[in-house]
Amino acid sequence: MGFRICFFLLILTGASFCNGGITSSFLRKEAKSIDMPFDSDVFALPSGYNAPQQVHITQGDHVGRAVIVSWVTQNEPGSETVVYWAARSHRKHHATARVTIYKYYNYTSGFIHHCTIKHLKFDTKYYYEIGTRPTVRRFWFRTPPAVGPDVPYTFGLIGKPLSRIISIRKMTGICAGDLGQTYDSNLTLTHYEMNPVKGQAVLYVGDLSYADHYEFHDNRRWDTWGRFVERSTAFQPWIWTAGNHELDYEPSIGEKKPFKPFLHRYRTPFQASGSTDPLWYSIKRASAYIIVLSSYSAYGMYTPQYQWLWQELPKVNRSETPWLIVLMHSPWYNSNSYHYMEGETMRVMFEPWFVQYKVDLVFAGHVHAYERSERVSNIAYNIVNGECTPVHDQSAPVYITIGDGGNIEGLANNMTMPQPKYSAFREASFGHAMLEIKNRTHAYYGWHRNADGFAVRADSVTFFNRYWHPIDDSTTKN
């Protein structure tokens, strides 16, 4: 199996132990989160007339042999062609994009291109070019290794957008949520870029631009956000989850179609997993099976999302993809007073399935703080028995909330007290995390607060796979 052994040191800058695990006593200096101005250099347009901008890629099929390339041109549609080739080959291939535009209140988008590149080789570096001369732009990406049970793979977990301080070629992947486009976002991404552990893809748990923070949902902030994160999104796949700030539902100004800007700008490979909607879908990547759910779409019994998940979970072959990971926006286990219990109805619907199919990890955003649970479930209640307290359950997932990147709404720093028994570690700080899957049995995880050195882990744990190595990996004793 080729096990790699690594020991992580849990480093705490002061902590208090409550009924549950650790409520960190680290105090971040209070400062308002402020969006960077429109003339910030991180929002700069690429040089040249009608140059492609806001370039981003995501996985384009179920197994990792396709990539969706997306970009925007402002003045006219321009070229719809993507030219691409393997790094060690001189043979160039061509694929054609589809172009769309949308209007939102008094805003009209640029020309949004989406192109799916298919039949790629696994674990191969590809270059691609978009645009017309003299404003052709070149980027690159690496496809994942072939799906397999002991394929190592690293995901990053971050909550905010990129700075331009470090070259993109020093970072290979992230996972994010609640990004926004503030000065704190810059700091979070710079911290990630300097992390000696490098990710290979992004698992994004929702809330992108926060354009809805502004009057009339100023969609120019969708454009600045797309240019801001391009230095990452053009080079590595981001796996998209929709959050509440993607709804953009505002009947008072005539905008009655939920998710309009998001669905026009960002594509997902939903049809590859039999989904009928781009807001929920699944992919395989290396040794992980990733399921994306929509917290703000209907999920009651008989709804399309419910029916899809009911059919999807039995399809997961843990001999092929041992690690079963779920992404959503609204957390189910949240001991912060902010957004408290907002995910409760979805938890009631789906948690028994998560335990039945031994989901390993669930990542969420929404709450602008960091929290990691123990393996717990709360599925015994049947209206008359009164059993409605979360209990430790080694068949259940660990729930991690990582909406802590630095968006304009600031930190959620009002924790409920005492700390619940199911909560292993929590802190109201900005930061990022890394998940290193080593093989079918072990994955190493660490969370890094912005206030520490680049390699320091404020919270860390070795996770054991629920299917292949289901031993207790709790970090608190109750």
Side-chain angles (χ1 to χ4, degrees):
M1 233 178 251
F3 289 86
R4 293 174 60 187
I5 300 176
C6 177
F7 297 94
F8 280 6
L9 175 65
L10 176 60
I11 301 175
L12 302 174
T13 308
S16 60
F17 294 81
C18 307
N19 286 4
I22 297 166
T23 296
S24 173
S25 60
F26 176 84
L27 296 177
R28 175 186 179 270
K29 183 179 179 180
E30 288 294 328
K32 183 178 175 60
S33 293
I34 302 173
D35 270 351
M36 292 173 287
F38 280 108
D39 61 358
S40 173
D41 64 344
V42 299
F43 299 149
L45 289 162
S47 60
Y49 173 78
N50 206 44
Q53 58 171 286
Q54 305 175 50
V55 183
H56 55 273
I57 64 174
T58 191
Q59 186 160 313
D61 66 355
H62 203 233
V63 298
R65 290 191 62 200
V67 169
I68 301 172
V69 180
S70 303
W71 72 96
V72 176
T73 53
Q74 192 60 44
N75 307 100
E76 57 183 90
S79 174
E80 300 172 4
T81 300
V82 176
V83 181
Y84 63 99
W85 64 97
R88 296 186 178 182
S89 172
H90 297 291
R91 183 183 178 187
K92 294 187 175 182
H93 308 270
H94 299 76
T96 302
R98 294 184 177 182
V99 182
T100 185
I101 63 171
Y102 74 93
K103 294 182 178 182
Y104 190 96
Y105 189 57
N106 60 358
Y107 168 90
T108 300
S109 73
F111 299 91
I112 305 168
H113 303 66
H114 300 290
C115 179
T116 302
I117 301 173
K118 302 177 180 179
H119 309 301
L120 302 173
K121 295 180 180 179
F122 285 118
D123 200 16
T124 301
K125 182 177 181 179
Y126 284 88
Y127 292 98
Y128 68 99
E129 292 181 340
I130 52 178
T132 56
R133 300 195 184 282
T135 56
V136 171
R137 301 185 69 197
R138 178 184 295 185
F139 305 92
W140 59 264
F141 61 84
R142 178 173 288 277
T143 54
V147 172
D150 292 301
V151 179
Y153 204 77
T154 300
F155 297 102
L157 299 103
I158 304 178
K160 303 297 165 202
L162 295 173
S163 83
R164 289 186 179 251
I165 298 174
I166 306 299
S167 167
I168 185 63
R169 299 183 188 279
K170 291 189 177 181
M171 63 183 295
T172 57
I174 61 175
C175 172
D178 298 82
L179 238 58
Q181 43 194 302
T182 70
Y183 292 102
D184 285 311
S185 307
N186 258 336
L187 180 59
T188 300
L189 264 294
T190 300
H191 216 250
Y192 170 79
E193 291 169 318
M194 296 298 292
N195 194 319
V197 177
K198 302 302 180 186
Q200 296 167 274
V202 176
L203 304 179
Y204 196 90
V205 292
D207 285 359
L208 285 70
S209 71
Y210 286 80
D212 64 344
H213 179 80
Y214 294 90
E215 187 179 20
F216 307 131
H217 296 223
D218 188 349
N219 272 226
R220 294 178 300 167
R221 282 292 178 179
W222 277 103
D223 294 319
T224 54
W225 193 84
R227 292 195 293 271
F228 184 42
V229 298
E230 180 190 86
R231 53 180 301 215
S232 173
T233 59
F235 295 88
Q236 55 189 330
W238 287 45
I239 310 305
W240 301 109
T241 309
N244 57 300
H245 287 283
E246 280 69 73
L247 276 164
D248 283 303
Y249 176 71
E250 193 57 68
S252 65
I253 58 174
E255 293 298 341
K256 301 178 181 179
K257 183 177 180 180
F259 303 105
K260 182 197 281 188
F262 174 76
L263 291 176
H264 276 85
R265 292 172 180 270
Y266 296 93
R267 291 291 192 258
T268 66
F270 68 101
Q271 292 174 318
S273 59
S275 171
T276 57
D277 194 290
L279 298 175
W280 57 85
Y281 61 98
S282 71
I283 61 168
K284 301 175 186 177
R285 199 159 185 93
S287 50
Y289 200 103
I290 299 161
I291 291 177
V292 178
L293 298 179
S294 177
S295 298
Y296 304 99
S297 300
Y299 47 75
M301 190 176 293
Y302 313 120
T303 63
Q305 185 171 199
Y306 178 100
Q307 292 292 331
W308 175 81
L309 184 61
W310 175 66
Q311 296 176 46
E312 181 69 11
L313 284 167
K315 296 178 183 177
V316 181
N317 180 358
R318 304 297 280 271
S319 295
E320 179 187 52
T321 49
W323 292 92
L324 181 52
I325 299 170
V326 177
L327 311 181
M328 62 181 65
H329 186 64
S330 187
W332 293 357
Y333 286 90
N334 164 38
S335 65
N336 200 300
S337 64
Y338 292 92
H339 303 306
Y340 183 62
M341 292 186 73
E342 285 186 17
E344 186 67 6
T345 53
M346 179 181 264
R347 182 195 66 78
V348 171
M349 295 303 300
F350 292 154
E351 188 179 22
W353 294 349
F354 282 22
V355 175
Q356 177 184 351
Y357 292 101
K358 300 183 185 297
V359 171
D360 292 290
L361 301 166
V362 176
F363 291 104
H366 200 35
V367 179
H368 302 157
Y370 171 74
E371 184 168 19
R372 172 177 57 84
S373 79
E374 295 292 9
R375 298 194 181 277
V376 293
S377 67
N378 186 7
I379 58 176
Y381 183 64
N382 64 2
I383 299 180
V384 296
N385 63 11
E387 296 180 16
C388 55
T389 301
V391 297
H392 285 265
D393 186 340
Q394 290 303 310
S395 293
V398 168
Y399 294 88
I400 296 175
T401 301
I402 191 154
D404 59 351
N407 63 80
I408 196 169
E409 294 179 341
L411 285 169
N413 54 11
N414 189 6
M415 305 284 189
T416 60
M417 294 298 289
Q419 183 175 1
K421 290 183 179 181
Y422 66 75
S423 178
F425 185 94
R426 60 184 187 172
E427 179 176 314
S429 288
F430 294 137
H432 73 277
M434 302 297 298
L435 175 66
E436 303 174 72
I437 296 175
K438 297 300 183 181
N439 48 51
R440 73 182 68 191
T441 60
H442 291 67
Y444 301 153
Y445 171 83
W447 177 72
H448 306 251
R449 72 166 71 91
N450 286 353
D452 293 334
F454 301 123
V456 176
R457 298 179 180 89
D459 179 39
S460 65
V461 62
T462 298
F463 291 127
F464 300 131
N465 185 270
R466 293 302 89 190
Y467 184 88
W468 288 100
H469 196 55
I471 67 172
D472 191 343
D473 52 13
S474 302
T475 58
T476 60
K477 302 297 180 183
N478 292 302

